[in-house]
Amino acid sequence: MDTSLSWIKAYVPDLEVTAQEYTDAMTLSGTKVEGFQRLDADLDRIVIGQIKKIERHPDADKLVVCQVDVGGDAPIQIVTGAPNVEEGQKVPVVLDGGRVAGGHDGKMTPGGVPIKKGKLRGVESDGMMCSIEELGQTRELFPEAPENGIYIFPQDVTVGESAVHALGLDDVIFEYEITSNRVDCYSVIGIAREAAATFRKKFVPPVVEVKGSGGDVNDYIQVDVKDVDLCPRYCARVVKNIKLAPSPKWMQQRLAVNGIRPINNLVDITNYVMEEYGQPMHAYDLDTIAGHRILVRRAENGEKFVTLDGQERVMDDSVLMICDGEKAVGIAGIMGGENSMITDSVQTLLFEAACFDGTNIRLSSKKIGLRTDASGKFEKGLDPNNAKEAIDRACQLIEELGAGEVVDGMVDVYPGVKEPVRVPFEPEEINALLGTKISREQMLEYFDMLELVYDRKTEEILVPTFRQDVERTADLAEEVARFFGYDNIPVTLPRGEATTGKLPFKLRIEEEARNIAEFCGFSQGMCYSFESPKVFDKLRLDGQDPLRRAVPISNPLGEDFSIMRTISLNGMLTSLATNYNRRNKDVRLYELGNIYLPKELPVTELPEERMQFTLGMYGEGDFFTMKGVVEEFFDRIGMDKRPVYDPRAGRNYLHPGRQANILYEGTNIGYLGELHPTVADAYGIGERVYLAVLDMPSILPFATFDRKYQGVARYPAVNRDISMVVPREILAGQIEAMIAQRGGKYLESYRLFDIYEGSQIKEGYKSLAYSIVFRAKDRTLEEADVSAAMKKILHGLESMGIELRQ
């Protein structure tokens, strides 16, 4: 939101402050000023001059010598090459020692360009006549300026006076950072009200009075609102005998310094009122409104509509439309239609000022890919009571500028009138919240400045509807604090009862994942959730792989960010590749991030978001290093049972002989393995890469932080070692499962301590050796106890085709 200081002063006439004083005070009172720009910062000694005489330059065909009256005792001589100078014209003249903002090409020079007396082709020149670009402005904002030449003033200006003042450039533009809850401050009047309260000055809003020219508006237009939940108020007024003309200079200047290009009186009035009141308006040519009827309804699915910018838009039934008796004529709160646009032949005008549901406008704007100044204001949720004031103000300006005749009356569809909010006035509670001792009377003084009315009978504050942010005592306390001064609030100790803070279980598990990863030398990374469909080919996914079913982005930055990721490996591999290309050795990275699995395509509901704990490394370490990190994490979160590693993972992006699904109590909770060499080449990684991906939602049911203390063993352990000749296809995990199953209640632990394949073992077999530990908690084990358990284990192993080595 931007405003000019001169426009603010129109409603706070006693305001006399510097730009810096205004910035500091407004920021401290809660209306944050991001910065300001003095329009005349680079302009100096520029006056209005009148060309009295023009002669040809004696030594240059394209130059002329002008005698210019600048209000002094005698004219000054200026040599110029401007093609549009004529005797009698009044023009901006920068005097000797003055400054202009930039060159005729429109390029600005910081600090301005100094102008001094000199000679042009041997002829004295005592100053310079200026184009609008040399004054730091453009023809966009000053359309009357010539495309190439000196700016020409109207004849009613006074010679010798400041040209900067005549152009309205002796002004300051302030840029504000307005929070979305302060909708009232998205208007000049709202900012002026805050300025008046901040500087303790009188706020003088415009006095709006529409005289009217007779007739009855109901004879011209009828309005029917079908969806009052999306359009709580709709106001319409009619203006006849329209006379299009340029708007007056004061209006053009106010719009121009706010960055709005003046066009004509009708367009300028709607823009002016939108800036002044923060209420967007729209004007229709009444002769193009079929049946002289306005219907506010939802669009039909697939309905097409051509907006004022000439683009055809496709709607659905969530978009609100403004229609006449036959067709749609506008998208509510966003943009009007090409079929009802105002042309130079307009005779009768229909003014619309309405209030639309902010959430619906924001969603509709995104769906159709069109955001305007109007939608930007509507989507914040406007005050419906402001619509009547704004439309009356527009009609008043129509009458004052002679742009037409306003028909008496207004069509006002307003079924549910919004009333002021009542908030209990509790000074003690306010002081308790702030830690202050502000008197009741001083608080009421602040409220009075802000038009918050005190009801003595009910001890309540009546909050006007334009202050939608004030709903409770805490909000009143905020109003008191910002005008009492945050810097005046004393330091106090907080009050309250101590509570025990604790992370939710899910976040505690994720915290443990981070701790274990970092303990094992991994650094955290954060990867994009948006990806390219090309990722699936790089990872060698099958054509029918479910992971290829991704949620598309409706407004992507490009193809590389056009879908939501369904697998977390691309970001990890891209990060590893970046480190490899920068010659970093022994890189270990981890990420905790979501993947997005659509429940249905096209998307009809939000996708399933699953947190993935992804680990990736190259350099020092191998498959078993990664396996150890995974098991360390399981142990840390209370998953005491041994996971099972199934080598039949069948993942194309992993090495076919070095991959495994991780199963825990029969549930697949993730996978790990070495990256397939082809995929590593695709990412430009010249090292073996090891990966592990754990699905956190699958892990949560098995995790626990409950720990049971077990005392130090009091009785000795009994060890037994066995060496076996095992068929190569039998996995160590299968052997360990058999030992655990047959070991009985005295089995304490088992450990693989040797593995051998070579000439001393028959072909197709391998040698494994295990150390098995037995212990009883209540006594010393006897040989019979251990022998019985070992016998069961050996029988089970023999049933698998395993032989004991003799």
Side-chain angles (χ1 to χ4, degrees):
M1 176 69 192
D2 295 348
T3 69
S4 64
L5 183 59
S6 62
W7 204 342
I8 296 296
K9 286 182 176 180
Y11 311 124
V12 191
D14 297 333
L15 184 63
E16 294 297 334
V17 291
T18 65
Q20 192 61 55
E21 289 172 343
Y22 181 91
T23 298
D24 294 342
M26 291 292 282
T27 299
L28 287 174
S29 69
T31 308
K32 185 180 179 183
V33 179
E34 284 285 284
F36 62 85
Q37 175 192 5
R38 292 195 60 89
L39 296 180
D40 60 353
D42 298 330
L43 305 177
D44 189 26
R45 301 200 68 198
I46 303 177
V47 299
I48 298 172
Q50 186 170 27
I51 302 174
K52 294 297 186 180
K53 186 178 181 181
I54 299 177
E55 297 177 338
R56 294 178 61 83
H57 192 287
D59 199 25
D61 293 338
K62 294 185 179 180
L63 298 179
V64 294
V65 182
C66 303
Q67 303 300 320
V68 184
D69 178 9
V70 292
D73 296 334
I76 64 171
Q77 180 171 286
I78 298 177
V79 178
T80 181
N84 65 323
V85 293
E86 296 179 4
E87 292 182 359
Q89 289 175 335
K90 294 182 178 180
V91 297
V93 176
V94 56
L95 303 177
D96 177 40
R99 285 177 300 142
V100 292
H104 190 73
D105 57 3
K107 294 181 179 179
M108 299 297 105
T109 302
V113 179
I115 302 299
K116 295 184 178 180
K117 289 183 179 181
K119 290 185 177 181
L120 285 178
R121 301 293 292 271
V123 177
E124 291 282 348
S125 183
D126 298 332
M128 186 180 80
M129 293 182 281
C130 305
S131 66
I132 199 65
E133 290 81 7
E134 288 162 335
L135 296 173
Q137 303 302 310
T138 66
R139 292 184 64 249
E140 280 288 306
L141 302 180
F142 288 84
E144 74 279 9
E147 184 174 355
N148 183 25
I150 302 303
Y151 182 81
I152 310 299
F153 282 109
Q155 286 297 314
D156 58 356
V157 298
T158 303
V159 171
E161 291 191 351
S162 169
V164 173
H165 177 74
L167 289 168
L169 301 180
D170 53 347
D171 207 346
V172 186
I173 305 299
F174 295 98
E175 180 185 357
Y176 305 88
E177 181 184 326
I178 306 297
T179 54
S180 57
N181 65 325
R182 288 302 306 272
V183 182
D184 58 304
C185 287
Y186 284 91
S187 67
V188 178
I189 284 180
I191 296 291
R193 186 183 288 111
E194 288 291 308
T198 298
F199 293 100
R200 310 298 195 268
K201 301 295 183 182
K202 186 178 181 181
F203 173 58
V204 184
V207 178
V208 179
E209 181 183 356
V210 182
K211 297 177 181 178
S213 61
D216 184 355
V217 69
N218 294 294
D219 296 335
Y220 289 81
I221 192 68
Q222 292 181 330
V223 177
D224 183 14
V225 178
K226 293 293 185 184
D227 295 278
V228 293
D229 56 326
L230 300 184
C231 178
R233 189 174 195 181
Y234 190 100
C235 300
R237 297 201 70 158
V238 173
V239 182
K240 60 184 181 180
N241 298 326
I242 295 296
K243 299 180 181 66
L244 289 179
S247 54
K249 200 64 184 176
W250 63 267
M251 182 176 285
Q252 289 190 31
Q253 286 180 350
R254 285 186 180 175
L255 292 174
V257 296
N258 273 43
I260 299 175
R261 181 171 64 93
I263 298 176
N264 59 45
N265 49 8
L266 290 184
V267 176
D268 292 354
I269 285 171
T270 56
N271 286 334
Y272 185 87
V273 173
M274 182 171 73
E275 292 296 309
E276 186 179 41
Y277 278 82
Q279 170 67 51
M281 300 181 61
H282 192 71
Y284 301 96
D285 185 341
L286 186 60
D287 293 334
T288 66
I289 303 299
H292 286 192
R293 176 174 178 251
I294 289 291
L295 173 64
V296 183
R297 61 162 176 84
R298 292 177 183 267
E300 298 176 1
N301 285 320
E303 182 175 349
K304 296 180 179 180
F305 181 71
V306 180
T307 47
L308 278 170
D309 57 2
Q311 299 294 315
E312 185 179 76
R313 318 269 176 184
V314 181
M315 312 295 153
D316 64 22
D317 60 4
S318 67
V319 180
L320 194 65
M321 303 296 292
I322 309 297
C323 309
D324 62 15
E326 299 175 354
K327 61 188 180 299
V329 295
I331 306 174
I334 300 177
M335 185 177 280
E338 195 176 49
N339 54 11
S340 61
M341 65 186 296
I342 300 296
T343 64
D344 293 345
S345 61
V346 61
Q347 295 296 315
T348 307
L349 189 76
L350 173 65
F351 260 137
E352 165 195 286
C355 183
F356 303 109
D357 178 72
T359 302
N360 179 261
I361 295 299
R362 179 176 60 85
L363 295 175
S364 298
S365 178
K366 293 188 71 173
K367 281 181 182 178
I368 64 177
L370 177 62
R371 195 169 190 272
T372 61
D373 289 342
S375 67
K377 292 184 183 294
F378 276 122
E379 67 188 21
K380 294 174 177 64
L382 299 185
D383 174 18
N385 292 330
N386 194 40
K388 180 181 183 303
E389 296 180 27
I391 201 169
D392 286 346
R393 174 64 164 162
C395 290
Q396 178 193 32
L397 292 171
I398 288 279
E399 292 180 336
E400 290 180 357
L401 304 187
E405 300 172 8
V406 180
V407 176
D408 287 353
M410 177 180 72
V411 176
D412 187 6
V413 181
Y414 193 16
V417 177
K418 186 173 183 178
E419 299 292 344
V421 173
R422 288 179 171 268
V423 180
F425 179 46
E426 301 169 323
E428 297 80 9
E429 180 66 20
I430 291 174
N431 277 322
L433 285 170
L434 299 179
T436 56
K437 296 180 180 179
I438 304 172
S439 67
R440 176 191 188 94
E441 291 71 23
Q442 190 172 359
M443 291 183 189
L444 291 175
E445 182 183 337
Y446 296 149
F447 296 154
D448 184 59
M449 293 188 308
L450 296 167
E451 300 181 30
L452 306 178
V453 180
Y454 175 52
D455 186 340
R456 295 185 181 277
K457 293 182 180 179
T458 61
E459 291 284 320
E460 292 176 317
I461 300 295
L462 271 68
V463 182
T465 54
F466 64 78
R467 285 301 303 272
Q468 301 182 44
D469 60 308
V470 180
E471 298 178 338
R472 52 186 67 85
T473 301
D475 298 327
L476 292 179
E478 183 180 4
E479 300 304 298
V480 171
R482 65 194 187 97
F483 288 104
F484 177 72
Y486 292 107
D487 52 335
N488 295 323
I489 297 176
V491 176
T492 56
L493 292 174
R495 297 182 296 110
E497 297 179 358
T499 58
T500 302
K502 191 175 182 181
L503 285 175
F505 182 73
K506 173 179 177 291
L507 297 184
R508 290 180 67 193
I509 297 298
E510 292 175 11
E511 185 178 51
E512 291 299 333
R514 277 188 285 269
N515 291 340
I516 289 298
E518 290 168 12
F519 174 77
C520 295
F522 288 76
S523 299
Q524 185 170 13
M526 295 184 70
C527 304
Y528 291 119
S529 296
F530 297 166
E531 288 186 337
S532 166
K534 297 176 182 177
V535 166
F536 302 137
D537 293 329
K538 288 181 74 173
L539 294 175
R540 304 177 70 245
L541 294 186
D542 293 333
Q544 302 302 316
D545 195 305
L547 294 178
R548 287 183 176 268
R549 299 180 69 252
V551 177
I553 307 300
S554 59
N555 54 343
L557 296 174
E559 186 184 7
D560 289 344
F561 303 96
S562 60
I563 60 170
M564 303 293 290
R565 67 177 181 176
T566 58
I567 184 171
S568 61
L569 290 185
N570 177 63
M572 175 60 66
L573 293 175
T574 301
S575 298
L576 290 173
T578 301
N579 280 276
Y580 179 80
N581 292 330
R582 293 179 181 176
R583 303 180 185 277
N584 291 329
K585 298 180 180 179
D586 301 326
V587 175
R588 297 186 177 193
L589 299 175
Y590 79 94
E591 182 202 10
L592 279 164
N594 286 335
I595 59 172
Y596 305 85
L597 305 177
K599 299 174 183 177
E600 186 178 353
L601 288 177
V603 174
T604 57
E605 57 180 314
L606 293 176
E608 180 184 7
E609 300 184 27
R610 298 188 71 86
M611 175 67 69
Q612 306 290 289
F613 180 25
T614 307
L615 299 141
M617 70 179 192
Y618 67 80
E620 184 178 353
D622 56 16
F623 179 94
F624 296 101
T625 304
M626 183 66 80
K627 178 172 174 283
V629 175
V630 171
E631 292 184 353
E632 182 77 18
F633 170 58
F634 291 161
D635 181 66
R636 185 77 175 203
I637 61 174
M639 296 171 62
D640 298 328
K641 297 181 180 179
R642 285 179 176 255
V644 175
Y645 298 91
D646 182 0
R648 296 165 297 180
R651 301 180 188 273
N652 293 351
Y653 42 84
L654 297 180
H655 192 292
R658 298 166 192 157
Q659 60 173 289
N661 284 335
I662 305 172
L663 307 178
Y664 193 86
E665 294 189 5
T667 301
N668 189 345
I669 59 174
Y671 59 89
L672 79 163
E674 180 185 327
L675 186 66
H676 196 289
T678 303
V679 179
D681 288 342
Y683 282 91
I685 305 175
E687 295 261 6
R688 288 189 174 186
V689 177
Y690 298 95
L691 300 164
V693 179
L694 303 178
D695 185 53
M696 298 298 275
S698 299
I699 288 173
L700 288 178
F702 304 112
T704 179
F705 289 105
D706 294 337
R707 295 289 193 271
K708 292 182 180 180
Y709 171 75
Q710 291 183 346
V712 177
R714 298 174 59 187
Y715 299 96
V718 178
N719 296 327
R720 290 289 186 269
D721 293 343
I722 57 173
S723 181
M724 302 165 284
V725 177
V726 182
R728 187 175 294 170
E729 64 272 11
I730 294 179
L731 305 177
Q734 294 173 277
I735 295 174
E736 292 171 0
M738 181 60 71
I739 294 174
Q741 178 187 347
R742 299 284 184 114
K745 62 180 180 179
Y746 300 128
L747 177 66
E748 183 177 83
S749 65
Y750 45 86
R751 179 176 63 88
L752 175 67
F753 68 86
D754 184 57
I755 182 168
Y756 173 75
E757 290 185 63
S759 59
Q760 298 182 29
I761 304 297
K762 56 184 177 181
E763 188 175 352
Y765 285 76
K766 57 188 175 183
S767 173
L768 299 179
Y770 274 88
S771 177
I772 304 174
V773 179
F774 299 92
R775 191 195 306 266
K777 295 179 181 179
D778 56 350
R779 62 186 176 88
T780 300
L781 288 176
E782 298 178 359
E783 178 63 27
D785 298 324
V786 177
S787 297
M790 286 299 299
K791 187 175 182 179
K792 290 181 180 179
I793 291 173
L794 294 175
H795 285 164
L797 295 175
E798 288 173 1
S799 69
M800 298 171 63
I802 297 173
E803 303 173 8
L804 283 180
R805 292 187 68 183
Q806 302 300 326

